[in-house]
Amino acid sequence: MATEDTFDNWQHALSASYEQLINQFVTHTPQLLGAALMLLVGWVVAWLLSKLTISLFKLCNRALAGLSQRVQTEQTLQLNLKHARLIGKTVFWVTMMFFIAAATSSLGLNFFSDWISSLLSYLPNLLAGIFIIVGGYLLGNLVQCHGKSRCAVCRVCASRSRG
């Protein structure tokens, strides 16, 4: 008799646990589907932005090549394609972080979304620093190439005047 009561108690406890689990799953299914849909949309947007970034990088490369031809340098200014891919991946993951923060917030995981938000709030300062460094690098290369071409022109003019 005691084993039957214990078995009934276990059976009742397990069925109550499963019932509670199913009720919670049904209650949270719309939130889970919304978060999954948000992550899927985020992935598509991040992928598109990544491809756009790489295309803009290639366009800048062509513009720099045209600029170096107009300045008449022997050495062309070019950006490395590996850097374009790295920047594209960075854009992808930063965009995904925005969507992950939104998805976790919709699930009620505010501690995680707050942490991502604080991390992303530092991003404008980081991007400004990166743009300043890249701009200085490109300007330095342009000045270097322009200086070398002027030196070459001066050497040609000096050799003509001597001869």
Side-chain angles (χ1 to χ4, degrees), residues 8 12 19-20 23 30 39 41 53 61 64 77 81 91 100 108 110 135 140 142-143 150 154 160 162:
D8 286 339
H12 179 67
E19 208 171 290
Q20 186 181 14
N23 286 337
L39 289 175
V41 168
T53 302
N61 221 1
L64 283 173
L77 290 174
L81 192 58
V91 165
I100 289 170
N110 291 330
L142 182 65
V143 169
R150 290 290 177 194
C154 288
R160 285 184 186 166
R162 287 183 199 154

Side-chain angles (χ1 to χ4, degrees), residues 46-57:
W47 181 79
L48 288 173
L49 286 175
S50 172
K51 294 300 177 187
L52 179 68
T53 302
I54 292 173
S55 297
L56 286 175
F57 206 90

Side-chain angles (χ1 to χ4, degrees), residues 37 61 72 75 147:
L37 182 64
N61 221 1
Q72 299 173 350
Q75 187 180 25

